[in-house]
Amino acid sequence: MTIHQNLIAGEWVGSDAIKNINPSNTNDVVGEYARASADDAKAAIAAAKAAFPGWSRSGILERHAILKKTADEILARKDELGTLLAREEGKTLPEAIGETIRAAQIFEFFAGETLRLAGEVIPSVRPNIGVEITREAVGVVGIITPWNFPIAIPAWKIAPALAYGNTVVFKPAELVPGCAWAIVDILHRAGLPKGVLNLVMGKGSVVGQAMLESPDVAAITFTGSTGTGKRVAAASIEHNRKFQLEMGGKNPFVVLDDADLTVAVEAAANSGFFSTGQRCTASSRLIVTEGIHDRFVAALTEKLKTLVVDDALKAGTHIGPVVDAGQLKQDTDYIEIGKGEGAKLAFGGDLVKRDNPGFYLQPTLFTEATNAMRISREEIFGPVVSVIRVKDYDEALATANDTPFGLSSGIATTSLKHATHFKRNAEAGMVMVNLPTAGVDFHVPFGGRKGSSYGPREQGKYANEFYTTVKTAYTLA
Ligand code: ADP
Protein backbone atom coordinates (compact mmCIF):
# COMPACT_ATOMS: atom_id res chain seq x y z
CA MET A 1 0.00 0.00 0.00
CA THR A 2 1.41 3.44 -0.85
CA ILE A 3 2.00 5.73 2.08
CA HIS A 4 0.31 9.10 2.03
CA GLN A 5 3.08 11.35 3.27
CA ASN A 6 3.30 14.60 5.15
CA LEU A 7 3.94 17.81 3.23
CA ILE A 8 6.81 19.84 4.66
CA ALA A 9 8.40 22.76 2.79
CA GLY A 10 6.79 21.62 -0.44
CA GLU A 11 8.14 18.03 -0.23
CA TRP A 12 6.17 14.86 0.51
CA VAL A 13 8.07 13.12 3.32
CA GLY A 14 7.76 10.35 5.92
CA SER A 15 7.87 6.58 6.01
CA ASP A 16 6.56 5.70 9.48
CA ALA A 17 2.88 5.08 8.74
CA ILE A 18 -0.31 3.95 10.47
CA LYS A 19 -3.44 2.38 9.01
CA ASN A 20 -6.63 4.37 8.59
CA ILE A 21 -9.48 1.99 9.52
CA ASN A 22 -13.10 2.13 8.35
CA PRO A 23 -15.43 2.19 11.41
CA SER A 24 -18.24 0.59 9.34
CA ASN A 25 -15.98 -2.36 8.56
CA THR A 26 -12.84 -2.75 10.63
CA ASN A 27 -11.44 -5.19 8.02
CA ASP A 28 -11.33 -2.34 5.51
CA VAL A 29 -8.09 -0.32 5.52
CA VAL A 30 -8.76 3.06 3.95
CA GLY A 31 -5.06 3.77 3.48
CA GLU A 32 -1.70 4.21 5.16
CA TYR A 33 -0.78 7.64 6.42
CA ALA A 34 2.58 8.89 7.62
CA ARG A 35 3.04 9.80 11.24
CA ALA A 36 5.01 12.97 11.85
CA SER A 37 7.51 13.36 14.70
CA ALA A 38 8.06 16.42 16.87
CA ASP A 39 11.07 17.24 14.66
CA ASP A 40 8.85 17.07 11.56
CA ALA A 41 6.49 19.54 13.23
CA LYS A 42 9.44 21.84 13.96
CA ALA A 43 10.59 21.60 10.32
CA ALA A 44 7.05 22.39 9.15
CA ILE A 45 6.89 25.44 11.42
CA ALA A 46 10.29 26.62 10.15
CA ALA A 47 9.12 26.18 6.54
CA ALA A 48 5.92 28.13 7.22
CA LYS A 49 7.94 30.89 8.89
CA ALA A 50 10.30 31.12 5.92
CA ALA A 51 7.38 31.24 3.47
CA PHE A 52 5.48 33.95 5.36
CA PRO A 53 7.14 37.12 4.03
CA GLY A 54 6.53 36.06 0.41
CA TRP A 55 3.00 34.76 0.83
CA SER A 56 1.76 37.60 3.04
CA ARG A 57 2.82 40.05 0.33
CA SER A 58 1.62 37.93 -2.58
CA GLY A 59 -0.95 39.31 -4.97
CA ILE A 60 -4.55 38.76 -4.01
CA LEU A 61 -5.32 37.45 -7.50
CA GLU A 62 -2.80 34.64 -6.98
CA ARG A 63 -4.46 33.66 -3.71
CA HIS A 64 -7.89 33.96 -5.28
CA ALA A 65 -6.90 31.68 -8.16
CA ILE A 66 -5.47 28.96 -5.91
CA LEU A 67 -8.49 28.91 -3.58
CA LYS A 68 -10.93 28.94 -6.51
CA LYS A 69 -9.09 26.11 -8.25
CA THR A 70 -9.22 24.13 -5.00
CA ALA A 71 -12.96 24.72 -4.69
CA ASP A 72 -13.50 23.57 -8.26
CA GLU A 73 -11.50 20.37 -7.83
CA ILE A 74 -13.21 19.45 -4.54
CA LEU A 75 -16.60 19.96 -6.17
CA ALA A 76 -15.66 17.96 -9.26
CA ARG A 77 -14.52 15.08 -7.01
CA LYS A 78 -17.36 15.32 -4.48
CA ASP A 79 -18.52 11.71 -4.86
CA GLU A 80 -15.01 10.27 -4.55
CA LEU A 81 -14.02 12.52 -1.63
CA GLY A 82 -17.42 12.02 0.03
CA THR A 83 -16.89 8.26 -0.19
CA LEU A 84 -13.44 8.60 1.36
CA LEU A 85 -14.97 10.71 4.15
CA ALA A 86 -17.79 8.23 4.83
CA ARG A 87 -15.25 5.38 4.84
CA GLU A 88 -12.84 6.94 7.30
CA GLU A 89 -15.30 8.72 9.64
CA GLY A 90 -18.51 6.71 9.34
CA LYS A 91 -21.10 9.37 8.57
CA THR A 92 -23.55 8.34 5.85
CA LEU A 93 -22.61 8.85 2.22
CA PRO A 94 -25.21 11.63 1.62
CA GLU A 95 -23.98 13.44 4.75
CA ALA A 96 -20.36 12.96 3.64
CA ILE A 97 -20.99 14.25 0.11
CA GLY A 98 -22.89 17.20 1.60
CA GLU A 99 -19.91 18.00 3.82
CA THR A 100 -17.57 17.78 0.82
CA ILE A 101 -19.72 20.20 -1.17
CA ARG A 102 -19.64 22.52 1.80
CA ALA A 103 -15.83 22.42 1.86
CA ALA A 104 -15.83 23.46 -1.81
CA GLN A 105 -18.25 26.31 -1.03
CA ILE A 106 -16.00 27.50 1.80
CA PHE A 107 -12.94 27.63 -0.50
CA GLU A 108 -15.00 29.50 -3.06
CA PHE A 109 -16.29 31.97 -0.45
CA PHE A 110 -12.76 32.74 0.79
CA ALA A 111 -11.45 32.99 -2.76
CA GLY A 112 -13.87 35.91 -3.03
CA GLU A 113 -12.84 37.29 0.35
CA THR A 114 -9.24 37.69 -0.84
CA LEU A 115 -10.54 40.42 -3.17
CA ARG A 116 -12.74 42.08 -0.57
CA LEU A 117 -10.52 42.67 2.46
CA ALA A 118 -10.93 46.38 3.08
CA GLY A 119 -9.58 48.87 5.60
CA GLU A 120 -10.66 52.34 6.67
CA VAL A 121 -9.35 55.82 6.06
CA ILE A 122 -10.53 58.31 8.65
CA PRO A 123 -9.50 61.83 9.65
CA SER A 124 -7.19 62.30 12.62
CA VAL A 125 -8.31 64.42 15.57
CA ARG A 126 -5.15 66.43 14.81
CA PRO A 127 -5.01 68.74 11.79
CA ASN A 128 -3.15 67.67 8.61
CA ILE A 129 -2.85 64.05 9.62
CA GLY A 130 -4.48 61.09 7.94
CA VAL A 131 -5.25 57.77 9.64
CA GLU A 132 -5.42 54.44 7.83
CA ILE A 133 -6.64 51.25 9.46
CA THR A 134 -5.60 48.08 7.64
CA ARG A 135 -5.66 44.37 8.30
CA GLU A 136 -2.51 42.28 7.89
CA ALA A 137 -1.75 38.59 8.06
CA VAL A 138 -0.84 37.29 11.52
CA GLY A 139 2.02 34.92 10.64
CA VAL A 140 2.33 31.15 10.98
CA VAL A 141 -1.09 29.74 11.88
CA GLY A 142 -1.29 26.33 13.57
CA ILE A 143 -4.45 24.45 12.67
CA ILE A 144 -5.51 21.54 14.90
CA THR A 145 -8.70 19.74 13.91
CA PRO A 146 -10.97 16.96 15.27
CA TRP A 147 -12.29 13.87 13.51
CA ASN A 148 -16.01 14.63 13.25
CA PHE A 149 -15.92 16.94 10.19
CA PRO A 150 -12.83 15.64 8.38
CA ILE A 151 -13.10 17.97 5.38
CA ALA A 152 -15.32 20.91 6.41
CA ILE A 153 -13.43 21.95 9.55
CA PRO A 154 -9.99 21.86 7.86
CA ALA A 155 -11.56 23.86 4.99
CA TRP A 156 -13.04 26.53 7.23
CA LYS A 157 -9.68 27.05 8.94
CA ILE A 158 -7.23 26.61 6.01
CA ALA A 159 -9.20 28.73 3.51
CA PRO A 160 -9.33 31.97 5.57
CA ALA A 161 -5.78 31.46 6.89
CA LEU A 162 -4.42 31.36 3.32
CA ALA A 163 -6.85 33.93 1.91
CA TYR A 164 -5.60 36.60 4.32
CA GLY A 165 -1.92 35.83 3.69
CA ASN A 166 -0.95 33.54 6.57
CA THR A 167 1.16 30.42 6.24
CA VAL A 168 -0.08 27.20 7.79
CA VAL A 169 0.97 24.13 9.74
CA PHE A 170 -2.00 21.77 9.70
CA LYS A 171 -2.43 18.84 12.08
CA PRO A 172 -5.57 16.80 11.44
CA ALA A 173 -7.04 14.27 13.90
CA GLU A 174 -5.36 10.85 13.84
CA LEU A 175 -8.59 9.06 12.91
CA VAL A 176 -9.23 10.99 9.68
CA PRO A 177 -6.00 11.72 7.81
CA GLY A 178 -7.57 10.80 4.44
CA CYS A 179 -9.62 13.93 3.77
CA ALA A 180 -6.88 16.10 5.28
CA TRP A 181 -4.28 14.63 2.92
CA ALA A 182 -6.64 15.01 -0.05
CA ILE A 183 -7.29 18.72 0.43
CA VAL A 184 -3.62 19.46 1.08
CA ASP A 185 -2.74 17.58 -2.12
CA ILE A 186 -5.33 19.61 -4.04
CA LEU A 187 -4.07 22.94 -2.64
CA HIS A 188 -0.45 21.97 -3.31
CA ARG A 189 -1.20 21.09 -6.93
CA ALA A 190 -3.28 24.26 -7.29
CA GLY A 191 0.02 26.16 -7.03
CA LEU A 192 0.78 27.11 -3.43
CA PRO A 193 4.44 28.12 -3.06
CA LYS A 194 6.51 25.72 -0.97
CA GLY A 195 6.15 26.05 2.78
CA VAL A 196 2.90 28.04 2.63
CA LEU A 197 0.84 25.01 3.68
CA ASN A 198 2.42 22.15 5.61
CA LEU A 199 0.71 18.93 6.63
CA VAL A 200 1.85 17.07 9.74
CA MET A 201 -0.34 14.06 10.46
CA GLY A 202 0.18 12.30 13.76
CA LYS A 203 -0.46 12.26 17.47
CA GLY A 204 -1.80 15.25 19.35
CA SER A 205 0.56 14.63 22.23
CA VAL A 206 3.57 14.71 19.86
CA VAL A 207 2.81 16.84 16.79
CA GLY A 208 0.13 19.05 18.37
CA GLN A 209 2.24 19.54 21.47
CA ALA A 210 5.26 20.61 19.35
CA MET A 211 3.03 23.25 17.76
CA LEU A 212 1.84 24.49 21.15
CA GLU A 213 5.42 24.80 22.37
CA SER A 214 6.79 26.72 19.38
CA PRO A 215 7.40 30.46 19.76
CA ASP A 216 7.20 30.72 15.96
CA VAL A 217 3.51 29.80 15.75
CA ALA A 218 1.74 33.17 15.87
CA ALA A 219 -1.81 31.86 16.14
CA ILE A 220 -3.53 28.55 16.81
CA THR A 221 -7.05 27.66 15.80
CA PHE A 222 -8.35 24.54 17.51
CA THR A 223 -11.51 22.47 17.43
CA GLY A 224 -11.74 19.49 19.77
CA SER A 225 -12.26 18.56 23.39
CA THR A 226 -12.44 20.96 26.32
CA GLY A 227 -9.40 19.35 27.95
CA THR A 228 -7.13 19.86 24.94
CA GLY A 229 -8.62 23.33 24.37
CA LYS A 230 -7.45 24.35 27.84
CA ARG A 231 -3.92 23.15 27.02
CA VAL A 232 -3.96 25.18 23.80
CA ALA A 233 -5.07 28.22 25.80
CA ALA A 234 -2.41 27.85 28.52
CA ALA A 235 0.42 27.28 26.03
CA SER A 236 -0.75 30.17 23.85
CA ILE A 237 -0.82 32.63 26.73
CA GLU A 238 2.71 31.52 27.58
CA HIS A 239 3.82 32.49 24.06
CA ASN A 240 1.62 35.59 23.81
CA ARG A 241 -0.03 34.13 20.72
CA LYS A 242 -3.54 34.50 19.36
CA PHE A 243 -5.81 31.51 19.85
CA GLN A 244 -9.29 30.45 18.96
CA LEU A 245 -11.06 27.45 20.51
CA GLU A 246 -14.20 25.53 19.53
CA MET A 247 -14.91 22.87 22.09
CA GLY A 248 -17.85 20.96 23.46
CA GLY A 249 -21.56 21.49 23.62
CA LYS A 250 -24.55 20.22 25.56
CA ASN A 251 -27.03 21.86 23.30
CA PRO A 252 -30.65 22.12 24.43
CA PHE A 253 -33.67 21.71 22.18
CA VAL A 254 -36.86 23.04 23.78
CA VAL A 255 -40.26 21.70 22.73
CA LEU A 256 -43.23 23.81 23.85
CA ASP A 257 -46.87 22.73 24.15
CA ASP A 258 -47.76 24.81 21.08
CA ALA A 259 -45.08 23.21 18.85
CA ASP A 260 -45.94 21.59 15.54
CA LEU A 261 -45.33 17.97 16.60
CA THR A 262 -43.96 16.85 13.22
CA VAL A 263 -41.53 19.76 13.05
CA ALA A 264 -40.42 19.13 16.64
CA VAL A 265 -39.85 15.40 16.13
CA GLU A 266 -37.98 15.82 12.84
CA ALA A 267 -35.72 18.51 14.31
CA ALA A 268 -35.08 16.53 17.52
CA ALA A 269 -34.25 13.33 15.62
CA ASN A 270 -31.91 15.19 13.30
CA SER A 271 -30.26 17.15 16.13
CA GLY A 272 -29.73 14.16 18.35
CA PHE A 273 -28.96 11.27 16.08
CA PHE A 274 -27.83 12.28 12.60
CA SER A 275 -24.08 12.00 12.03
CA THR A 276 -24.35 9.46 14.89
CA GLY A 277 -24.75 12.34 17.38
CA GLN A 278 -21.11 13.22 16.74
CA ARG A 279 -21.56 16.91 16.04
CA CYS A 280 -20.59 19.63 18.50
CA THR A 281 -23.92 21.26 17.62
CA ALA A 282 -25.91 18.05 18.26
CA SER A 283 -28.71 18.28 20.78
CA SER A 284 -28.54 15.78 23.60
CA ARG A 285 -31.01 17.56 25.92
CA LEU A 286 -34.64 17.68 24.83
CA ILE A 287 -36.46 20.00 27.22
CA VAL A 288 -40.18 19.37 26.83
CA THR A 289 -43.16 21.08 28.49
CA GLU A 290 -45.79 18.96 30.24
CA GLY A 291 -48.70 19.37 27.83
CA ILE A 292 -46.86 17.86 24.84
CA HIS A 293 -44.37 15.64 26.68
CA ASP A 294 -46.03 12.23 26.30
CA ARG A 295 -47.14 12.81 22.69
CA PHE A 296 -43.65 14.03 21.79
CA VAL A 297 -41.89 11.07 23.40
CA ALA A 298 -44.28 8.62 21.71
CA ALA A 299 -43.80 10.23 18.27
CA LEU A 300 -40.01 10.48 18.64
CA THR A 301 -39.82 6.83 19.70
CA GLU A 302 -41.82 5.83 16.61
CA LYS A 303 -39.40 7.87 14.49
CA LEU A 304 -36.36 6.19 16.07
CA LYS A 305 -37.79 2.77 15.16
CA THR A 306 -37.59 3.79 11.49
CA LEU A 307 -33.93 4.90 11.58
CA VAL A 308 -31.57 2.34 10.04
CA VAL A 309 -28.17 1.91 11.72
CA ASP A 310 -25.75 0.35 9.25
CA ASP A 311 -22.67 0.71 7.04
CA ALA A 312 -22.11 4.37 6.13
CA LEU A 313 -21.78 3.51 2.45
CA LYS A 314 -25.00 1.47 2.21
CA ALA A 315 -27.99 3.12 0.56
CA GLY A 316 -30.78 3.56 3.10
CA THR A 317 -28.54 3.95 6.16
CA HIS A 318 -29.66 6.84 8.38
CA ILE A 319 -27.08 6.44 11.14
CA GLY A 320 -23.56 5.19 10.51
CA PRO A 321 -21.27 3.61 13.10
CA VAL A 322 -19.62 5.35 16.03
CA VAL A 323 -16.16 6.53 14.96
CA ASP A 324 -14.01 4.06 16.92
CA ALA A 325 -13.82 1.70 19.88
CA GLY A 326 -12.81 4.44 22.32
CA GLN A 327 -15.78 6.64 21.46
CA LEU A 328 -18.10 3.62 21.55
CA LYS A 329 -16.92 2.83 25.07
CA GLN A 330 -17.56 6.42 26.11
CA ASP A 331 -21.10 6.20 24.72
CA THR A 332 -21.94 2.89 26.38
CA ASP A 333 -20.37 4.07 29.66
CA TYR A 334 -22.71 7.07 29.60
CA ILE A 335 -25.68 4.79 28.88
CA GLU A 336 -24.80 2.88 32.08
CA ILE A 337 -24.33 6.15 33.95
CA GLY A 338 -27.79 7.31 32.80
CA LYS A 339 -29.40 4.09 33.98
CA GLY A 340 -27.56 4.34 37.29
CA GLU A 341 -28.70 7.93 37.77
CA GLY A 342 -32.33 6.84 37.46
CA ALA A 343 -33.19 8.04 33.94
CA LYS A 344 -35.57 5.70 32.11
CA LEU A 345 -34.20 3.99 29.00
CA ALA A 346 -37.08 4.61 26.55
CA PHE A 347 -35.36 3.37 23.38
CA GLY A 348 -32.13 1.71 22.25
CA GLY A 349 -29.10 1.37 24.47
CA ASP A 350 -27.63 -1.72 22.81
CA LEU A 351 -24.88 -2.48 20.33
CA VAL A 352 -26.10 -3.94 17.04
CA LYS A 353 -24.49 -6.48 14.72
CA ARG A 354 -24.37 -5.86 10.97
CA ASP A 355 -22.85 -7.76 8.02
CA ASN A 356 -19.49 -6.07 8.55
CA PRO A 357 -17.65 -5.75 11.86
CA GLY A 358 -18.13 -2.14 12.94
CA PHE A 359 -18.98 0.10 15.90
CA TYR A 360 -22.78 0.04 15.63
CA LEU A 361 -24.91 1.48 18.43
CA GLN A 362 -28.69 1.93 18.50
CA PRO A 363 -30.01 5.47 18.79
CA THR A 364 -30.63 5.76 22.51
CA LEU A 365 -33.29 7.83 24.25
CA PHE A 366 -33.63 8.43 27.98
CA THR A 367 -36.75 9.96 29.50
CA GLU A 368 -37.45 11.21 33.03
CA ALA A 369 -33.95 12.70 33.10
CA THR A 370 -33.13 15.74 35.20
CA ASN A 371 -30.82 18.54 34.21
CA ALA A 372 -28.58 17.74 37.19
CA MET A 373 -27.69 14.25 35.94
CA ARG A 374 -24.27 13.70 34.39
CA ILE A 375 -25.94 12.60 31.12
CA SER A 376 -27.48 16.09 30.98
CA ARG A 377 -24.35 18.01 31.93
CA GLU A 378 -21.45 16.25 30.21
CA GLU A 379 -20.90 15.95 26.48
CA ILE A 380 -21.36 12.32 25.41
CA PHE A 381 -20.70 12.85 21.67
CA GLY A 382 -22.78 9.88 20.56
CA PRO A 383 -26.35 8.98 19.61
CA VAL A 384 -27.54 9.28 23.21
CA VAL A 385 -30.23 11.83 24.06
CA SER A 386 -32.26 12.59 27.18
CA VAL A 387 -35.69 14.13 27.62
CA ILE A 388 -36.16 16.52 30.53
CA ARG A 389 -39.76 17.31 31.50
CA VAL A 390 -40.50 20.92 32.51
CA LYS A 391 -43.60 22.86 33.59
CA ASP A 392 -43.63 25.83 31.22
CA TYR A 393 -41.62 28.10 28.94
CA ASP A 394 -39.86 29.93 31.78
CA GLU A 395 -38.60 26.69 33.28
CA ALA A 396 -37.62 25.47 29.80
CA LEU A 397 -35.50 28.57 29.13
CA ALA A 398 -33.85 28.42 32.56
CA THR A 399 -33.06 24.72 32.06
CA ALA A 400 -31.75 25.31 28.53
CA ASN A 401 -29.33 27.94 29.85
CA ASP A 402 -28.32 25.93 32.93
CA THR A 403 -25.22 24.34 31.39
CA PRO A 404 -21.51 25.10 31.29
CA PHE A 405 -21.70 25.19 27.48
CA GLY A 406 -23.21 27.65 25.00
CA LEU A 407 -22.76 26.63 21.38
CA SER A 408 -26.23 26.13 19.88
CA SER A 409 -29.74 26.26 21.32
CA GLY A 410 -33.05 25.36 19.66
CA ILE A 411 -36.77 25.71 20.21
CA ALA A 412 -39.88 24.23 18.59
CA THR A 413 -42.84 26.56 18.98
CA THR A 414 -45.55 28.25 16.92
CA SER A 415 -45.58 31.24 19.27
CA LEU A 416 -43.92 34.38 17.93
CA LYS A 417 -43.68 35.67 21.49
CA HIS A 418 -41.77 32.65 22.76
CA ALA A 419 -39.62 32.35 19.65
CA THR A 420 -38.61 36.01 19.91
CA HIS A 421 -37.96 35.81 23.64
CA PHE A 422 -35.90 32.63 23.20
CA LYS A 423 -33.75 34.14 20.42
CA ARG A 424 -32.93 37.05 22.72
CA ASN A 425 -32.37 35.09 25.91
CA ALA A 426 -30.77 31.79 24.89
CA GLU A 427 -27.17 31.85 26.17
CA ALA A 428 -25.64 30.42 23.01
CA GLY A 429 -23.72 31.57 19.96
CA MET A 430 -26.33 30.13 17.61
CA VAL A 431 -30.11 29.89 18.07
CA MET A 432 -32.47 27.80 15.95
CA VAL A 433 -36.24 28.22 15.77
CA ASN A 434 -38.13 25.17 14.48
CA LEU A 435 -34.84 23.85 13.10
CA PRO A 436 -32.30 21.31 14.35
CA THR A 437 -29.54 22.69 16.61
CA ALA A 438 -27.04 21.35 14.06
CA GLY A 439 -26.78 22.29 10.38
CA VAL A 440 -25.42 25.74 9.67
CA ASP A 441 -24.62 27.91 6.66
CA PHE A 442 -21.03 28.40 5.50
CA HIS A 443 -21.12 32.18 4.97
CA VAL A 444 -22.19 33.38 8.43
CA PRO A 445 -20.46 33.26 11.83
CA PHE A 446 -20.11 29.99 13.68
CA GLY A 447 -19.21 29.72 17.36
CA GLY A 448 -20.45 29.77 20.90
CA ARG A 449 -20.23 31.20 24.39
CA LYS A 450 -19.33 30.06 27.89
CA GLY A 451 -17.38 26.78 27.95
CA SER A 452 -17.95 26.06 24.24
CA SER A 453 -15.75 28.62 22.54
CA TYR A 454 -13.04 31.18 23.00
CA GLY A 455 -11.97 33.95 20.68
CA PRO A 456 -13.48 35.39 17.52
CA ARG A 457 -16.10 33.56 15.49
CA GLU A 458 -15.20 31.26 12.60
CA GLN A 459 -16.55 31.37 9.03
CA GLY A 460 -18.01 34.09 6.87
CA LYS A 461 -16.36 37.49 6.82
CA TYR A 462 -16.14 37.40 10.64
CA ALA A 463 -13.25 34.95 10.19
CA ASN A 464 -10.96 37.88 9.41
CA GLU A 465 -11.00 38.89 13.09
CA PHE A 466 -8.87 35.87 13.90
CA TYR A 467 -6.81 35.50 10.75
CA THR A 468 -5.73 39.13 10.50
CA THR A 469 -4.27 41.71 12.84
CA VAL A 470 -5.17 45.40 12.72
CA LYS A 471 -2.67 48.16 11.98
CA THR A 472 -3.34 51.89 12.49
CA ALA A 473 -1.05 54.15 10.44
CA TYR A 474 -0.76 57.95 10.82
CA THR A 475 0.65 60.19 8.05
CA LEU A 476 1.44 63.90 8.14
CA ALA A 477 -0.07 65.46 5.06
P1 ADP B 1 -11.52 14.61 20.31
O1 ADP B 1 -12.32 14.15 21.45
O2 ADP B 1 -12.28 15.38 19.27
O3 ADP B 1 -10.59 13.60 19.75
P2 ADP B 1 -9.14 16.01 21.17
O4 ADP B 1 -9.08 17.34 21.85
O5 ADP B 1 -8.48 14.86 21.82
O6 ADP B 1 -10.66 15.78 20.94
O7 ADP B 1 -8.56 16.11 19.69
C1 ADP B 1 -8.72 17.23 18.86
C2 ADP B 1 -7.40 17.51 18.16
O8 ADP B 1 -6.45 17.92 19.15
C3 ADP B 1 -6.80 16.29 17.48
O9 ADP B 1 -6.18 16.69 16.26
C4 ADP B 1 -5.78 15.82 18.48
O10 ADP B 1 -4.73 15.06 17.91
C5 ADP B 1 -5.27 17.14 19.02
N1 ADP B 1 -4.58 17.04 20.31
C6 ADP B 1 -4.77 16.12 21.29
N2 ADP B 1 -3.91 16.33 22.31
C7 ADP B 1 -3.16 17.42 22.00
C8 ADP B 1 -2.11 18.15 22.64
N3 ADP B 1 -1.63 17.80 23.83
N4 ADP B 1 -1.61 19.22 22.01
C9 ADP B 1 -2.09 19.60 20.81
N5 ADP B 1 -3.04 18.96 20.15
C10 ADP B 1 -3.60 17.87 20.72
Side-chain angles (χ1 to χ4, degrees):
M1 213 175 247
T2 50
I3 294 177
H4 296 82
Q5 294 172 300
N6 289 307
L7 184 68
I8 300 175
E11 304 294 329
W12 293 107
V13 292
S15 50
D16 171 27
I18 50 165
K19 290 186 169 64
N20 181 357
I21 303 292
N22 178 351
S24 296
N25 177 2
T26 53
N27 293 328
D28 178 31
V29 178
V30 179
E32 290 203 20
Y33 291 83
R35 218 169 10 171
S37 64
D39 283 343
D40 291 333
K42 286 182 193 154
I45 294 164
K49 189 178 176 190
F52 180 71
W55 182 248
S56 58
R57 289 180 183 84
S58 61
I60 53 175
L61 263 187
E62 180 187 356
R63 293 186 219 159
H64 173 273
I66 291 170
L67 296 178
K68 177 72 172 67
K69 214 167 158 188
T70 300
D72 292 345
E73 182 169 339
I74 293 173
L75 200 57
R77 293 171 57 194
K78 67 180 168 36
D79 294 336
E80 173 213 336
L81 293 173
T83 304
L84 170 66
L85 199 169
R87 250 177 101 198
E88 73 174 347
E89 197 270 352
K91 67 181 65 175
T92 67
L93 188 57
E95 287 174 328
I97 293 173
E99 185 185 329
T100 306
I101 294 169
R102 180 159 169 212
Q105 290 166 328
I106 290 166
F107 276 104
E108 179 144 23
F109 178 87
F110 283 106
E113 287 298 281
T114 58
L115 310 182
R116 268 192 290 266
L117 185 64
E120 285 182 274
V121 178
I122 56 176
S124 167
V125 293
R126 292 169 285 165
N128 301 324
I129 290 178
V131 184
E132 291 161 44
I133 301 162
T134 51
R135 286 185 176 271
E136 296 183 357
V138 179
V140 176
V141 174
I143 295 180
I144 302 178
T145 56
W147 49 260
N148 64 332
F149 284 91
I151 196 162
I153 294 180
W156 83 52
K157 294 180 188 295
I158 293 171
L162 297 177
Y164 298 126
N166 302 284
T167 55
V168 171
V169 176
F170 167 36
K171 194 212 93 62
E174 287 111 297
L175 290 175
V176 291
C179 290
W181 189 92
I183 57 170
V184 170
D185 171 55
I186 292 170
L187 278 156
H188 178 59
R189 284 187 290 98
L192 278 180
K194 69 176 190 171
V196 170
L197 172 64
N198 302 274
L199 172 69
V200 277
M201 300 173 284
K203 283 173 93 77
S205 56
V206 177
V207 181
Q209 194 62 33
M211 290 161 71
L212 301 195
E213 286 167 10
S214 171
D216 292 329
V217 176
I220 290 192
T221 176
F222 166 84
T223 301
S225 65
T226 306
T228 311
K230 287 191 168 152
R231 280 167 181 261
V232 173
S236 297
I237 285 168
E238 177 89 1
H239 291 292
N240 206 19
R241 82 160 66 94
K242 252 181 140 169
F243 62 99
Q244 174 184 56
L245 313 174
E246 287 299 340
M247 302 173 288
K250 196 70 196 174
N251 308 296
F253 186 72
V254 169
V255 180
L256 296 185
D257 286 357
D258 63 26
D260 177 318
L261 190 62
T262 309
V263 167
V265 167
E266 288 301 315
N270 177 321
S271 300
F273 302 104
F274 287 9
S275 299
T276 322
Q278 298 175 152
R279 294 182 286 188
C280 42
T281 46
S283 176
S284 50
R285 289 189 299 144
L286 304 176
I287 299 166
V288 186
T289 50
E290 267 165 2
I292 197 170
H293 179 277
D294 293 356
R295 278 184 297 139
F296 173 78
V297 168
L300 181 58
T301 309
E302 283 309 307
K303 172 81 186 176
L304 295 186
K305 287 180 191 160
T306 69
L307 297 181
V308 176
V309 179
D310 208 332
D311 191 313
L313 294 177
K314 245 191 195 171
T317 296
H318 297 109
I319 300 177
V322 171
V323 74
D324 73 346
Q327 183 62 51
L328 185 63
K329 178 168 181 336
Q330 178 165 317
D331 297 348
T332 51
D333 283 353
Y334 271 110
I335 292 170
E336 290 311 310
I337 289 168
K339 289 183 198 164
E341 288 179 308
K344 184 177 151 210
L345 186 63
F347 189 84
D350 291 323
L351 303 185
V352 282
K353 278 218 171 314
R354 292 294 177 250
D355 295 344
N356 294 323
F359 306 111
Y360 298 108
L361 176 63
Q362 285 182 306
T364 299
L365 187 70
F366 281 109
T367 54
E368 311 306 337
T370 71
N371 202 45
M373 292 176 175
R374 283 183 63 195
I375 53 166
S376 303
R377 302 209 76 76
E378 297 168 17
E379 187 175 50
I380 300 171
F381 221 63
V384 183
V385 171
S386 24
V387 178
I388 300 166
R389 187 197 296 260
V390 291
K391 192 166 73 263
D392 55 16
Y393 170 72
D394 290 340
E395 190 185 347
L397 176 66
T399 307
N401 286 339
D402 177 12
T403 168
F405 297 107
L407 188 55
S408 182
S409 193
I411 189 167
T413 179
T414 53
S415 152
L416 181 62
K417 183 177 132 191
H418 287 140
T420 306
H421 190 271
F422 190 80
K423 277 192 277 185
R424 288 204 186 125
N425 292 284
E427 293 169 4
M430 295 172 292
V431 185
M432 312 292 186
V433 177
N434 293 320
L435 287 166
T437 54
V440 296
D441 286 2
F442 64 87
H443 67 310
V444 290
F446 176 93
R449 300 181 184 178
K450 295 167 43 181
S452 289
S453 305
Y454 185 93
R457 289 287 183 267
E458 301 200 77
Q459 303 197 58
K461 68 175 189 219
Y462 285 68
N464 74 24
E465 289 175 19
F466 180 73
Y467 294 98
T468 65
T469 182
V470 169
K471 180 176 277 173
T472 313
Y474 297 81
T475 311
L476 181 63

